[in-house]
Amino acid sequence: MPQVSVLATGGTIASSENDRGASVASRGAGELLGGIAAGGPNVSSRDVMRLGSYLLGHRELRLICEAVAAELADGGVDGVVVTHGTDTMEETAYLLDLVQHSSKPAVLTGAQRPADHPCPDGPGNLQEAIGVAASPSARDKGTMISFAGNIYAARGTRKAHTVAPSPFKTMDGGPIGQIANGQPHFMSAPIRPRALALPPPAFDSIRVDIVTVHPGSDATLARAAVEAGARGVIIAGSGVGNGNSSILAWVEEAVQAGITVGLGTRVPEGPVVPFYGNGGGADVVRAGALQLGSLPLFQARLLLALMLSHGQKPNPELLAAHI
Ligand SMILES: NC(=O)C[C@H](N)C(=O)O
Protein backbone atom coordinates (compact mmCIF):
# COMPACT_ATOMS: atom_id res chain seq x y z
CA MET A 1 0.00 0.00 0.00
CA PRO A 2 1.49 3.42 -0.95
CA GLN A 3 2.31 5.84 1.87
CA VAL A 4 1.35 9.51 1.52
CA SER A 5 2.40 12.29 3.87
CA VAL A 6 -0.10 15.16 4.26
CA LEU A 7 1.33 18.49 5.43
CA ALA A 8 -1.25 21.08 6.49
CA THR A 9 -0.55 24.81 6.23
CA GLY A 10 -4.03 26.38 6.61
CA GLY A 11 -6.13 28.08 3.92
CA THR A 12 -9.87 27.93 3.31
CA ILE A 13 -9.74 24.13 3.36
CA ALA A 14 -8.93 24.49 7.09
CA SER A 15 -11.12 27.55 7.77
CA SER A 16 -14.22 28.06 9.84
CA GLU A 17 -16.10 31.09 11.09
CA ASN A 18 -14.76 32.90 14.16
CA ASP A 19 -16.80 34.86 16.72
CA ARG A 20 -16.72 37.92 14.44
CA GLY A 21 -18.26 36.00 11.56
CA ALA A 22 -15.01 35.95 9.56
CA SER A 23 -13.51 32.79 8.13
CA VAL A 24 -10.07 31.92 9.56
CA ALA A 25 -7.73 28.96 9.26
CA SER A 26 -8.40 26.91 12.38
CA ARG A 27 -8.33 23.19 11.58
CA GLY A 28 -5.31 20.93 11.53
CA ALA A 29 -4.36 18.00 9.33
CA GLY A 30 -6.05 15.45 11.60
CA GLU A 31 -9.42 17.18 11.28
CA LEU A 32 -9.07 17.56 7.51
CA LEU A 33 -8.33 13.87 7.13
CA GLY A 34 -11.35 13.02 9.32
CA GLY A 35 -13.54 14.25 6.45
CA ILE A 36 -12.33 11.81 3.82
CA ALA A 37 -13.41 8.27 3.09
CA ALA A 38 -11.55 5.31 4.60
CA GLY A 39 -9.57 2.94 2.40
CA GLY A 40 -6.97 3.98 -0.15
CA PRO A 41 -3.33 4.81 0.57
CA ASN A 42 -1.83 4.89 4.07
CA VAL A 43 -1.66 8.49 5.23
CA SER A 44 0.47 10.18 7.87
CA SER A 45 0.02 13.87 8.64
CA ARG A 46 1.65 16.88 10.24
CA ASP A 47 0.72 20.52 10.84
CA VAL A 48 3.39 22.84 9.46
CA MET A 49 1.42 26.05 10.11
CA ARG A 50 -2.20 27.19 10.21
CA LEU A 51 -2.51 30.37 8.16
CA GLY A 52 -4.55 31.83 5.35
CA SER A 53 -2.18 31.88 2.39
CA TYR A 54 -2.67 35.66 2.11
CA LEU A 55 -0.61 35.86 5.32
CA LEU A 56 2.45 33.95 4.16
CA GLY A 57 5.87 35.55 3.95
CA HIS A 58 9.13 34.28 2.52
CA ARG A 59 9.98 32.64 5.85
CA GLU A 60 6.81 30.55 5.76
CA LEU A 61 7.49 29.57 2.15
CA ARG A 62 11.00 28.46 3.15
CA LEU A 63 9.62 26.39 6.05
CA ILE A 64 7.11 24.69 3.73
CA CYS A 65 9.95 23.88 1.28
CA GLU A 66 12.00 22.35 4.10
CA ALA A 67 9.05 20.31 5.40
CA VAL A 68 8.24 18.94 1.94
CA ALA A 69 11.90 18.13 1.19
CA ALA A 70 12.17 16.21 4.49
CA GLU A 71 9.09 14.12 3.69
CA LEU A 72 10.20 13.41 0.13
CA ALA A 73 13.60 12.29 1.45
CA ASP A 74 11.91 9.73 3.74
CA GLY A 75 12.32 6.30 2.17
CA GLY A 76 8.95 5.19 3.53
CA VAL A 77 7.01 7.99 1.84
CA ASP A 78 5.79 7.68 -1.78
CA GLY A 79 4.35 11.16 -2.20
CA VAL A 80 3.48 14.35 -0.34
CA VAL A 81 0.27 16.41 -0.22
CA VAL A 82 0.32 20.01 1.01
CA THR A 83 -3.02 21.56 1.99
CA HIS A 84 -2.76 25.27 1.35
CA GLY A 85 -4.80 28.42 0.75
CA THR A 86 -5.58 29.10 -2.88
CA ASP A 87 -4.64 32.82 -2.84
CA THR A 88 -0.91 32.19 -3.11
CA MET A 89 -0.85 28.48 -3.93
CA GLU A 90 0.70 29.34 -7.30
CA GLU A 91 3.68 30.85 -5.50
CA THR A 92 4.30 28.04 -3.02
CA ALA A 93 3.79 25.40 -5.73
CA TYR A 94 6.29 27.09 -8.04
CA LEU A 95 8.91 27.56 -5.34
CA LEU A 96 8.52 23.92 -4.26
CA ASP A 97 8.90 22.82 -7.87
CA LEU A 98 12.02 24.95 -8.36
CA VAL A 99 13.78 23.21 -5.46
CA GLN A 100 12.38 19.69 -5.83
CA HIS A 101 15.13 17.14 -6.46
CA SER A 102 13.01 14.06 -5.73
CA SER A 103 11.24 12.08 -8.43
CA LYS A 104 8.35 11.53 -5.98
CA PRO A 105 5.33 13.79 -6.43
CA ALA A 106 4.43 16.78 -4.28
CA VAL A 107 0.79 17.81 -4.69
CA LEU A 108 -0.86 20.98 -3.41
CA THR A 109 -4.56 21.23 -2.86
CA GLY A 110 -7.06 23.38 -0.99
CA ALA A 111 -10.65 24.56 -1.14
CA GLN A 112 -12.76 27.46 -2.30
CA ARG A 113 -15.46 26.87 0.31
CA PRO A 114 -14.58 26.77 4.01
CA ALA A 115 -14.54 23.58 6.07
CA ASP A 116 -17.76 24.62 7.92
CA HIS A 117 -19.65 25.33 4.65
CA PRO A 118 -22.74 23.10 4.19
CA CYS A 119 -21.15 21.76 1.01
CA PRO A 120 -17.38 21.98 1.42
CA ASP A 121 -15.09 21.14 -1.50
CA GLY A 122 -12.02 20.49 0.66
CA PRO A 123 -12.62 16.81 1.52
CA GLY A 124 -13.05 15.81 -2.14
CA ASN A 125 -10.02 17.84 -3.22
CA LEU A 126 -7.90 16.32 -0.44
CA GLN A 127 -8.98 12.80 -1.28
CA GLU A 128 -8.11 13.32 -4.94
CA ALA A 129 -4.74 14.91 -4.11
CA ILE A 130 -3.87 11.89 -1.96
CA GLY A 131 -4.73 9.65 -4.91
CA VAL A 132 -2.42 11.69 -7.16
CA ALA A 133 0.45 11.65 -4.64
CA ALA A 134 0.12 7.87 -4.24
CA SER A 135 0.16 7.15 -7.97
CA PRO A 136 3.31 5.87 -9.70
CA SER A 137 2.14 7.80 -12.80
CA ALA A 138 2.71 11.07 -10.91
CA ARG A 139 6.45 10.46 -10.51
CA ASP A 140 8.97 12.72 -12.26
CA LYS A 141 6.40 15.49 -12.65
CA GLY A 142 7.64 17.67 -9.78
CA THR A 143 5.19 19.74 -7.79
CA MET A 144 1.61 19.89 -9.01
CA ILE A 145 -1.69 21.45 -8.02
CA SER A 146 -4.63 19.04 -7.82
CA PHE A 147 -7.95 20.84 -7.66
CA ALA A 148 -11.54 20.04 -8.62
CA GLY A 149 -10.60 17.05 -10.72
CA ASN A 150 -7.74 18.67 -12.62
CA ILE A 151 -3.97 18.38 -12.19
CA TYR A 152 -1.81 21.37 -13.09
CA ALA A 153 1.96 21.77 -13.44
CA ALA A 154 3.29 24.30 -10.94
CA ARG A 155 4.99 26.55 -13.48
CA GLY A 156 2.64 28.84 -15.32
CA THR A 157 -0.43 28.08 -13.22
CA ARG A 158 -2.32 30.95 -11.60
CA LYS A 159 -5.43 31.49 -9.56
CA ALA A 160 -7.60 32.90 -12.34
CA HIS A 161 -10.95 33.24 -10.59
CA THR A 162 -11.71 34.54 -7.10
CA VAL A 163 -14.62 32.28 -6.20
CA ALA A 164 -15.11 29.56 -8.86
CA PRO A 165 -14.84 26.03 -7.45
CA SER A 166 -12.14 25.33 -10.05
CA PRO A 167 -10.11 28.57 -9.89
CA PHE A 168 -6.76 27.54 -11.40
CA LYS A 169 -5.60 27.95 -14.96
CA THR A 170 -2.27 27.20 -16.56
CA MET A 171 -1.41 30.22 -18.65
CA ASP A 172 -0.78 29.38 -22.31
CA GLY A 173 -1.76 25.80 -21.58
CA GLY A 174 -4.12 23.52 -19.73
CA PRO A 175 -4.10 20.85 -17.05
CA ILE A 176 -1.53 18.07 -17.41
CA GLY A 177 -3.97 15.50 -16.06
CA GLN A 178 -7.44 14.73 -14.84
CA ILE A 179 -8.77 12.61 -12.01
CA ALA A 180 -11.51 10.05 -12.55
CA ASN A 181 -12.69 7.56 -9.91
CA GLY A 182 -9.85 8.75 -7.67
CA GLN A 183 -7.18 7.86 -10.24
CA PRO A 184 -5.03 10.42 -12.06
CA HIS A 185 -4.83 10.25 -15.84
CA PHE A 186 -1.95 12.29 -17.25
CA MET A 187 -2.01 13.75 -20.75
CA SER A 188 1.41 15.42 -20.57
CA ALA A 189 4.42 16.05 -18.36
CA PRO A 190 5.91 19.43 -17.47
CA ILE A 191 9.35 20.44 -18.77
CA ARG A 192 11.34 21.14 -15.61
CA PRO A 193 14.73 22.82 -15.36
CA ARG A 194 17.39 21.31 -13.10
CA ALA A 195 16.35 21.79 -9.45
CA LEU A 196 17.88 24.65 -7.46
CA ALA A 197 19.03 24.44 -3.85
CA LEU A 198 16.46 24.95 -1.07
CA PRO A 199 15.93 28.57 -0.03
CA PRO A 200 18.54 29.57 2.58
CA PRO A 201 17.60 31.65 5.67
CA ALA A 202 18.63 34.77 3.69
CA PHE A 203 15.54 34.15 1.52
CA ASP A 204 13.33 35.32 4.40
CA SER A 205 14.38 38.94 4.07
CA ILE A 206 15.08 39.23 0.34
CA ARG A 207 12.81 41.88 -1.09
CA VAL A 208 11.67 41.76 -4.72
CA ASP A 209 8.78 44.07 -5.61
CA ILE A 210 6.44 44.34 -8.59
CA VAL A 211 5.58 47.72 -10.11
CA THR A 212 2.80 48.03 -12.68
CA VAL A 213 2.80 50.16 -15.82
CA HIS A 214 -0.50 51.95 -16.52
CA PRO A 215 -1.52 55.18 -18.20
CA GLY A 216 0.16 57.94 -16.22
CA SER A 217 2.46 55.62 -14.24
CA ASP A 218 5.99 56.79 -13.45
CA ALA A 219 9.01 55.52 -11.55
CA THR A 220 7.93 56.77 -8.09
CA LEU A 221 6.96 53.31 -6.81
CA ALA A 222 10.01 51.60 -8.31
CA ARG A 223 12.22 54.16 -6.60
CA ALA A 224 10.35 53.65 -3.31
CA ALA A 225 10.84 49.89 -3.59
CA VAL A 226 14.60 50.29 -3.80
CA GLU A 227 14.55 52.77 -0.91
CA ALA A 228 12.66 50.13 1.11
CA GLY A 229 15.50 47.67 0.45
CA ALA A 230 14.37 45.84 -2.70
CA ARG A 231 17.22 43.95 -4.38
CA GLY A 232 15.00 43.31 -7.35
CA VAL A 233 12.08 45.07 -9.01
CA ILE A 234 9.85 43.53 -11.66
CA ILE A 235 8.17 45.90 -14.08
CA ALA A 236 4.71 44.56 -14.92
CA GLY A 237 4.80 46.14 -18.34
CA SER A 238 1.84 46.81 -20.59
CA GLY A 239 1.22 44.59 -23.62
CA VAL A 240 4.25 42.62 -24.77
CA GLY A 241 6.22 44.20 -21.91
CA ASN A 242 6.45 47.96 -22.29
CA GLY A 243 7.49 50.75 -19.95
CA ASN A 244 7.47 54.47 -20.63
CA SER A 245 10.07 57.22 -20.56
CA SER A 246 9.98 57.66 -16.78
CA ILE A 247 10.35 53.90 -16.15
CA LEU A 248 13.14 53.71 -18.73
CA ALA A 249 15.15 56.46 -17.04
CA TRP A 250 14.75 54.66 -13.70
CA VAL A 251 15.80 51.27 -15.18
CA GLU A 252 19.03 52.82 -16.51
CA GLU A 253 19.80 54.22 -13.04
CA ALA A 254 18.77 51.11 -11.10
CA VAL A 255 20.73 48.65 -13.27
CA GLN A 256 23.84 50.86 -12.86
CA ALA A 257 23.29 50.70 -9.10
CA GLY A 258 23.23 46.86 -9.17
CA ILE A 259 19.48 46.38 -8.74
CA THR A 260 18.05 43.38 -10.57
CA VAL A 261 15.28 44.64 -12.84
CA GLY A 262 12.93 42.16 -14.50
CA LEU A 263 10.56 42.95 -17.34
CA GLY A 264 7.27 41.05 -17.28
CA THR A 265 3.83 41.83 -18.55
CA ARG A 266 0.54 42.65 -16.85
CA VAL A 267 -1.21 40.61 -19.58
CA PRO A 268 -2.16 37.16 -18.21
CA GLU A 269 -1.02 35.10 -21.20
CA GLY A 270 1.71 35.25 -23.81
CA PRO A 271 5.43 35.98 -23.62
CA VAL A 272 7.28 39.25 -23.17
CA VAL A 273 8.49 40.32 -26.62
CA PRO A 274 10.58 43.46 -26.34
CA PHE A 275 10.37 45.31 -29.65
CA TYR A 276 8.89 48.76 -29.01
CA GLY A 277 10.92 51.94 -28.58
CA ASN A 278 10.16 55.29 -26.87
CA GLY A 279 10.36 53.64 -23.44
CA GLY A 280 8.88 50.37 -24.73
CA GLY A 281 10.28 46.92 -24.04
CA ALA A 282 13.16 47.12 -26.52
CA ASP A 283 14.51 50.20 -24.71
CA VAL A 284 13.92 48.77 -21.24
CA VAL A 285 15.82 45.56 -22.07
CA ARG A 286 18.61 47.55 -23.73
CA ALA A 287 18.87 49.46 -20.44
CA GLY A 288 19.60 46.16 -18.65
CA ALA A 289 16.21 44.78 -17.58
CA LEU A 290 15.91 40.98 -17.77
CA GLN A 291 12.99 39.89 -19.87
CA LEU A 292 10.91 37.28 -18.05
CA GLY A 293 9.40 35.44 -21.01
CA SER A 294 6.10 33.77 -20.20
CA LEU A 295 6.77 33.17 -16.51
CA PRO A 296 3.85 34.68 -14.55
CA LEU A 297 4.83 37.78 -12.55
CA PHE A 298 4.34 36.32 -9.09
CA GLN A 299 6.34 33.21 -9.95
CA ALA A 300 9.09 35.30 -11.57
CA ARG A 301 9.27 37.30 -8.35
CA LEU A 302 10.12 34.14 -6.41
CA LEU A 303 12.66 32.95 -8.98
CA LEU A 304 14.58 36.22 -8.69
CA ALA A 305 14.29 36.19 -4.88
CA LEU A 306 15.58 32.60 -4.71
CA MET A 307 18.57 33.33 -6.95
CA LEU A 308 19.40 36.52 -5.04
CA SER A 309 19.14 34.69 -1.71
CA HIS A 310 21.72 32.18 -3.00
CA GLY A 311 24.06 35.07 -3.79
CA GLN A 312 23.51 34.69 -7.54
CA LYS A 313 22.93 37.79 -9.64
CA PRO A 314 20.18 36.80 -12.11
CA ASN A 315 21.24 37.13 -15.76
CA PRO A 316 19.76 35.95 -19.07
CA GLU A 317 21.77 32.70 -19.02
CA LEU A 318 20.60 31.78 -15.49
CA LEU A 319 16.99 32.62 -16.35
CA ALA A 320 16.91 30.91 -19.74
CA ALA A 321 15.76 27.48 -18.53
CA HIS A 322 12.99 28.98 -16.40
CA ILE A 323 11.22 31.54 -18.56
N1 LIG B 1 -9.62 29.65 -1.05
C1 LIG B 1 -8.63 30.00 -0.24
O1 LIG B 1 -7.94 29.16 0.28
C2 LIG B 1 -8.43 31.46 -0.05
C3 LIG B 1 -7.84 31.80 1.27
N2 LIG B 1 -8.07 33.18 1.51
C4 LIG B 1 -6.35 31.49 1.33
O2 LIG B 1 -5.65 31.63 0.38
O3 LIG B 1 -5.89 31.13 2.36
Side-chain angles (χ1 to χ4, degrees):
M1 188 66 83
Q3 179 73 36
V4 173
S5 169
V6 173
L7 300 176
T9 69
T12 294
I13 190 171
S15 293
S16 52
E17 203 174 284
N18 68 8
D19 52 13
R20 292 173 169 199
S23 200
V24 292
S26 54
R27 300 191 184 185
E31 284 166 283
L32 303 191
L33 287 165
I36 69 166
N42 292 328
V43 176
S44 61
S45 69
R46 184 158 86 77
D47 290 315
V48 180
M49 59 193 68
R50 206 171 289 187
L51 291 169
S53 72
Y54 52 92
L55 300 174
L56 303 183
H58 282 197
R59 178 170 182 276
E60 287 71 29
L61 266 59
R62 176 173 63 83
L63 296 178
I64 295 171
C65 286
E66 286 173 2
V68 170
E71 293 302 314
L72 290 172
D74 182 333
V77 169
D78 296 293
V80 175
V81 170
V82 181
T83 59
H84 194 288
T86 57
D87 286 11
T88 62
M89 192 181 285
E90 66 203 58
E91 275 127 314
T92 302
Y94 178 64
L95 187 65
L96 282 167
D97 193 50
L98 276 178
V99 300
Q100 187 176 330
H101 292 78
S102 173
S103 61
K104 299 174 192 173
V107 184
L108 279 82
T109 197
Q112 285 284 71
R113 297 188 292 272
D116 58 354
H117 189 278
C119 186
D121 53 337
N125 282 341
L126 178 55
Q127 183 128 30
E128 288 188 340
I130 291 170
V132 176
S135 171
S137 66
R139 289 182 83 98
D140 296 313
K141 295 187 174 63
T143 303
M144 291 159 272
I145 292 175
S146 171
F147 215 100
N150 287 310
I151 307 165
Y152 307 89
R155 188 207 177 278
T157 296
R158 292 184 65 180
K159 185 172 184 178
H161 198 286
T162 53
V163 294
S166 186
F168 290 101
K169 180 172 186 330
T170 304
M171 298 299 131
D172 294 312
I176 58 169
Q178 264 138 15
I179 304 157
N181 289 335
Q183 288 304 312
H185 299 270
F186 286 97
M187 291 93 71
S188 56
I191 299 168
R192 300 178 58 233
R194 187 203 297 245
L196 304 176
L198 281 168
F203 179 74
D204 298 4
S205 55
I206 289 279
R207 182 170 182 131
V208 176
D209 286 316
I210 300 176
V211 170
T212 307
V213 174
H214 54 78
S217 62
D218 61 18
T220 307
L221 293 180
R223 204 161 276 125
V226 174
E227 268 162 32
R231 301 267 311 277
V233 176
I234 292 178
I235 308 295
S238 59
V240 287
N242 292 306
N244 55 39
S245 53
S246 170
I247 298 276
L248 175 62
W250 174 80
V251 173
E252 283 164 352
E253 240 172 70
V255 168
Q256 285 300 315
I259 303 297
T260 295
V261 180
L263 177 65
T265 169
R266 62 183 209 168
V267 180
E269 291 184 300
V272 169
V273 187
F275 72 98
Y276 290 103
N278 287 340
D283 289 344
V284 174
V285 168
R286 204 173 302 116
L290 301 164
Q291 69 100 350
L292 299 170
S294 61
L295 190 59
L297 289 172
F298 303 107
Q299 297 189 335
R301 199 190 72 76
L302 285 172
L303 177 64
L304 297 186
L306 182 63
M307 288 179 169
L308 288 165
S309 71
H310 283 307
Q312 285 177 317
K313 178 98 175 92
N315 62 42
E317 291 69 42
L318 283 176
L319 295 185
H322 298 275
I323 61 171

PDB file of all heavy atoms in Angstrom, residues 52-70:
ATOM      1  N   GLY A  52      -4.043  31.517   6.680  1.00  0.00           N
ATOM      2  CA  GLY A  52      -4.548  31.827   5.349  1.00  0.00           C
ATOM      3  C   GLY A  52      -3.340  32.119   4.471  1.00  0.00           C
ATOM      4  O   GLY A  52      -2.357  32.719   4.933  1.00  0.00           O
ATOM      5  N   SER A  53      -3.395  31.716   3.206  1.00  0.00           N
ATOM      6  CA  SER A  53      -2.178  31.880   2.394  1.00  0.00           C
ATOM      7  C   SER A  53      -1.922  33.343   2.051  1.00  0.00           C
ATOM      8  O   SER A  53      -0.831  33.687   1.584  1.00  0.00           O
ATOM      9  CB  SER A  53      -2.228  31.008   1.144  1.00  0.00           C
ATOM     10  OG  SER A  53      -3.150  31.509   0.208  1.00  0.00           O
ATOM     11  N   TYR A  54      -2.909  34.209   2.298  1.00  0.00           N
ATOM     12  CA  TYR A  54      -2.672  35.655   2.106  1.00  0.00           C
ATOM     13  C   TYR A  54      -1.780  36.217   3.204  1.00  0.00           C
ATOM     14  O   TYR A  54      -1.393  37.384   3.146  1.00  0.00           O
ATOM     15  CB  TYR A  54      -4.016  36.418   2.045  1.00  0.00           C
ATOM     16  CG  TYR A  54      -4.955  36.147   3.199  1.00  0.00           C
ATOM     17  CD1 TYR A  54      -4.962  36.938   4.329  1.00  0.00           C
ATOM     18  CD2 TYR A  54      -5.835  35.052   3.149  1.00  0.00           C
ATOM     19  CE1 TYR A  54      -5.835  36.673   5.398  1.00  0.00           C
ATOM     20  CE2 TYR A  54      -6.698  34.783   4.196  1.00  0.00           C
ATOM     21  CZ  TYR A  54      -6.696  35.590   5.321  1.00  0.00           C
ATOM     22  OH  TYR A  54      -7.543  35.317   6.372  1.00  0.00           O
ATOM     23  N   LEU A  55      -1.452  35.398   4.203  1.00  0.00           N
ATOM     24  CA  LEU A  55      -0.615  35.862   5.315  1.00  0.00           C
ATOM     25  C   LEU A  55       0.818  35.347   5.226  1.00  0.00           C
ATOM     26  O   LEU A  55       1.641  35.645   6.099  1.00  0.00           O
ATOM     27  CB  LEU A  55      -1.228  35.404   6.648  1.00  0.00           C
ATOM     28  CG  LEU A  55      -2.645  35.922   6.917  1.00  0.00           C
ATOM     29  CD1 LEU A  55      -3.215  35.302   8.180  1.00  0.00           C
ATOM     30  CD2 LEU A  55      -2.635  37.441   7.034  1.00  0.00           C
ATOM     31  N   LEU A  56       1.117  34.564   4.208  1.00  0.00           N
ATOM     32  CA  LEU A  56       2.445  33.945   4.162  1.00  0.00           C
ATOM     33  C   LEU A  56       3.528  34.937   3.754  1.00  0.00           C
ATOM     34  O   LEU A  56       3.314  35.803   2.903  1.00  0.00           O
ATOM     35  CB  LEU A  56       2.457  32.768   3.179  1.00  0.00           C
ATOM     36  CG  LEU A  56       1.427  31.655   3.445  1.00  0.00           C
ATOM     37  CD1 LEU A  56       1.612  30.532   2.441  1.00  0.00           C
ATOM     38  CD2 LEU A  56       1.538  31.130   4.871  1.00  0.00           C
ATOM     39  N   GLY A  57       4.687  34.792   4.348  1.00  0.00           N
ATOM     40  CA  GLY A  57       5.866  35.555   3.945  1.00  0.00           C
ATOM     41  C   GLY A  57       6.923  34.601   3.413  1.00  0.00           C
ATOM     42  O   GLY A  57       6.707  33.377   3.354  1.00  0.00           O
ATOM     43  N   HIS A  58       8.067  35.139   3.053  1.00  0.00           N
ATOM     44  CA  HIS A  58       9.133  34.281   2.522  1.00  0.00           C
ATOM     45  C   HIS A  58       9.571  33.228   3.540  1.00  0.00           C
ATOM     46  O   HIS A  58       9.919  32.119   3.186  1.00  0.00           O
ATOM     47  CB  HIS A  58      10.343  35.129   2.128  1.00  0.00           C
ATOM     48  CG  HIS A  58      10.160  35.828   0.816  1.00  0.00           C
ATOM     49  ND1 HIS A  58      11.211  36.351   0.099  1.00  0.00           N
ATOM     50  CD2 HIS A  58       9.057  36.094   0.085  1.00  0.00           C
ATOM     51  CE1 HIS A  58      10.763  36.911  -1.013  1.00  0.00           C
ATOM     52  NE2 HIS A  58       9.450  36.770  -1.038  1.00  0.00           N
ATOM     53  N   ARG A  59       9.552  33.608   4.826  1.00  0.00           N
ATOM     54  CA  ARG A  59       9.975  32.643   5.852  1.00  0.00           C
ATOM     55  C   ARG A  59       9.051  31.423   5.838  1.00  0.00           C
ATOM     56  O   ARG A  59       9.525  30.281   5.887  1.00  0.00           O
ATOM     57  CB  ARG A  59       9.968  33.310   7.236  1.00  0.00           C
ATOM     58  CG  ARG A  59      10.335  32.361   8.346  1.00  0.00           C
ATOM     59  CD  ARG A  59      10.571  33.082   9.668  1.00  0.00           C
ATOM     60  NE  ARG A  59      10.965  32.123  10.679  1.00  0.00           N
ATOM     61  CZ  ARG A  59      10.110  31.395  11.381  1.00  0.00           C
ATOM     62  NH1 ARG A  59       8.812  31.552  11.234  1.00  0.00           N
ATOM     63  NH2 ARG A  59      10.559  30.518  12.265  1.00  0.00           N
ATOM     64  N   GLU A  60       7.762  31.667   5.761  1.00  0.00           N
ATOM     65  CA  GLU A  60       6.808  30.553   5.758  1.00  0.00           C
ATOM     66  C   GLU A  60       7.005  29.694   4.507  1.00  0.00           C
ATOM     67  O   GLU A  60       6.944  28.467   4.572  1.00  0.00           O
ATOM     68  CB  GLU A  60       5.363  31.077   5.825  1.00  0.00           C
ATOM     69  CG  GLU A  60       4.955  31.622   7.186  1.00  0.00           C
ATOM     70  CD  GLU A  60       5.603  32.940   7.552  1.00  0.00           C
ATOM     71  OE1 GLU A  60       5.919  33.719   6.616  1.00  0.00           O
ATOM     72  OE2 GLU A  60       5.819  33.198   8.751  1.00  0.00           O
ATOM     73  N   LEU A  61       7.260  30.347   3.381  1.00  0.00           N
ATOM     74  CA  LEU A  61       7.494  29.572   2.155  1.00  0.00           C
ATOM     75  C   LEU A  61       8.741  28.688   2.311  1.00  0.00           C
ATOM     76  O   LEU A  61       8.765  27.525   1.894  1.00  0.00           O
ATOM     77  CB  LEU A  61       7.650  30.501   0.943  1.00  0.00           C
ATOM     78  CG  LEU A  61       6.362  30.753   0.147  1.00  0.00           C
ATOM     79  CD1 LEU A  61       5.268  31.356   0.983  1.00  0.00           C
ATOM     80  CD2 LEU A  61       6.627  31.596  -1.080  1.00  0.00           C
ATOM     81  N   ARG A  62       9.770  29.254   2.932  1.00  0.00           N
ATOM     82  CA  ARG A  62      11.002  28.462   3.153  1.00  0.00           C
ATOM     83  C   ARG A  62      10.707  27.266   4.055  1.00  0.00           C
ATOM     84  O   ARG A  62      11.168  26.142   3.787  1.00  0.00           O
ATOM     85  CB  ARG A  62      12.091  29.352   3.763  1.00  0.00           C
ATOM     86  CG  ARG A  62      13.360  28.585   4.100  1.00  0.00           C
ATOM     87  CD  ARG A  62      14.483  29.503   4.551  1.00  0.00           C
ATOM     88  NE  ARG A  62      14.208  30.229   5.764  1.00  0.00           N
ATOM     89  CZ  ARG A  62      14.364  29.749   7.005  1.00  0.00           C
ATOM     90  NH1 ARG A  62      14.801  28.517   7.178  1.00  0.00           N
ATOM     91  NH2 ARG A  62      14.091  30.490   8.063  1.00  0.00           N
ATOM     92  N   LEU A  63       9.922  27.494   5.123  1.00  0.00           N
ATOM     93  CA  LEU A  63       9.619  26.393   6.052  1.00  0.00           C
ATOM     94  C   LEU A  63       8.803  25.297   5.356  1.00  0.00           C
ATOM     95  O   LEU A  63       9.007  24.108   5.596  1.00  0.00           O
ATOM     96  CB  LEU A  63       8.868  26.920   7.287  1.00  0.00           C
ATOM     97  CG  LEU A  63       9.678  27.894   8.161  1.00  0.00           C
ATOM     98  CD1 LEU A  63       8.822  28.394   9.327  1.00  0.00           C
ATOM     99  CD2 LEU A  63      10.965  27.252   8.687  1.00  0.00           C
ATOM    100  N   ILE A  64       7.890  25.699   4.474  1.00  0.00           N
ATOM    101  CA  ILE A  64       7.113  24.688   3.735  1.00  0.00           C
ATOM    102  C   ILE A  64       8.050  23.890   2.822  1.00  0.00           C
ATOM    103  O   ILE A  64       7.961  22.661   2.728  1.00  0.00           O
ATOM    104  CB  ILE A  64       5.958  25.348   2.941  1.00  0.00           C
ATOM    105  CG1 ILE A  64       4.935  25.979   3.902  1.00  0.00           C
ATOM    106  CG2 ILE A  64       5.263  24.323   2.046  1.00  0.00           C
ATOM    107  CD1 ILE A  64       3.870  26.848   3.229  1.00  0.00           C
ATOM    108  N   CYS A  65       8.984  24.584   2.154  1.00  0.00           N
ATOM    109  CA  CYS A  65       9.949  23.880   1.284  1.00  0.00           C
ATOM    110  C   CYS A  65      10.761  22.870   2.091  1.00  0.00           C
ATOM    111  O   CYS A  65      10.984  21.732   1.638  1.00  0.00           O
ATOM    112  CB  CYS A  65      10.913  24.879   0.631  1.00  0.00           C
ATOM    113  SG  CYS A  65      10.165  25.842  -0.687  1.00  0.00           S
ATOM    114  N   GLU A  66      11.191  23.272   3.278  1.00  0.00           N
ATOM    115  CA  GLU A  66      12.000  22.355   4.099  1.00  0.00           C
ATOM    116  C   GLU A  66      11.163  21.156   4.546  1.00  0.00           C
ATOM    117  O   GLU A  66      11.650  20.015   4.521  1.00  0.00           O
ATOM    118  CB  GLU A  66      12.560  23.101   5.323  1.00  0.00           C
ATOM    119  CG  GLU A  66      13.691  24.041   4.937  1.00  0.00           C
ATOM    120  CD  GLU A  66      14.162  24.930   6.093  1.00  0.00           C
ATOM    121  OE1 GLU A  66      13.635  24.792   7.220  1.00  0.00           O
ATOM    122  OE2 GLU A  66      15.057  25.754   5.856  1.00  0.00           O
ATOM    123  N   ALA A  67       9.913  21.411   4.933  1.00  0.00           N
ATOM    124  CA  ALA A  67       9.050  20.315   5.404  1.00  0.00           C
ATOM    125  C   ALA A  67       8.785  19.317   4.278  1.00  0.00           C
ATOM    126  O   ALA A  67       8.838  18.100   4.480  1.00  0.00           O
ATOM    127  CB  ALA A  67       7.735  20.879   5.941  1.00  0.00           C
ATOM    128  N   VAL A  68       8.516  19.825   3.079  1.00  0.00           N
ATOM    129  CA  VAL A  68       8.240  18.936   1.941  1.00  0.00           C
ATOM    130  C   VAL A  68       9.496  18.142   1.574  1.00  0.00           C
ATOM    131  O   VAL A  68       9.440  16.924   1.351  1.00  0.00           O
ATOM    132  CB  VAL A  68       7.708  19.737   0.726  1.00  0.00           C
ATOM    133  CG1 VAL A  68       7.650  18.869  -0.528  1.00  0.00           C
ATOM    134  CG2 VAL A  68       6.325  20.313   1.041  1.00  0.00           C
ATOM    135  N   ALA A  69      10.647  18.821   1.549  1.00  0.00           N
ATOM    136  CA  ALA A  69      11.899  18.133   1.191  1.00  0.00           C
ATOM    137  C   ALA A  69      12.180  17.004   2.185  1.00  0.00           C
ATOM    138  O   ALA A  69      12.610  15.906   1.791  1.00  0.00           O
ATOM    139  CB  ALA A  69      13.051  19.130   1.150  1.00  0.00           C
ATOM    140  N   ALA A  70      11.912  17.244   3.470  1.00  0.00           N
ATOM    141  CA  ALA A  70      12.167  16.209   4.486  1.00  0.00           C
ATOM    142  C   ALA A  70      11.265  15.001   4.260  1.00  0.00           C
ATOM    143  O   ALA A  70      11.716  13.851   4.351  1.00  0.00           O
ATOM    144  CB  ALA A  70      11.953  16.791   5.885  1.00  0.00           C
TER     145      ALA A  70
END
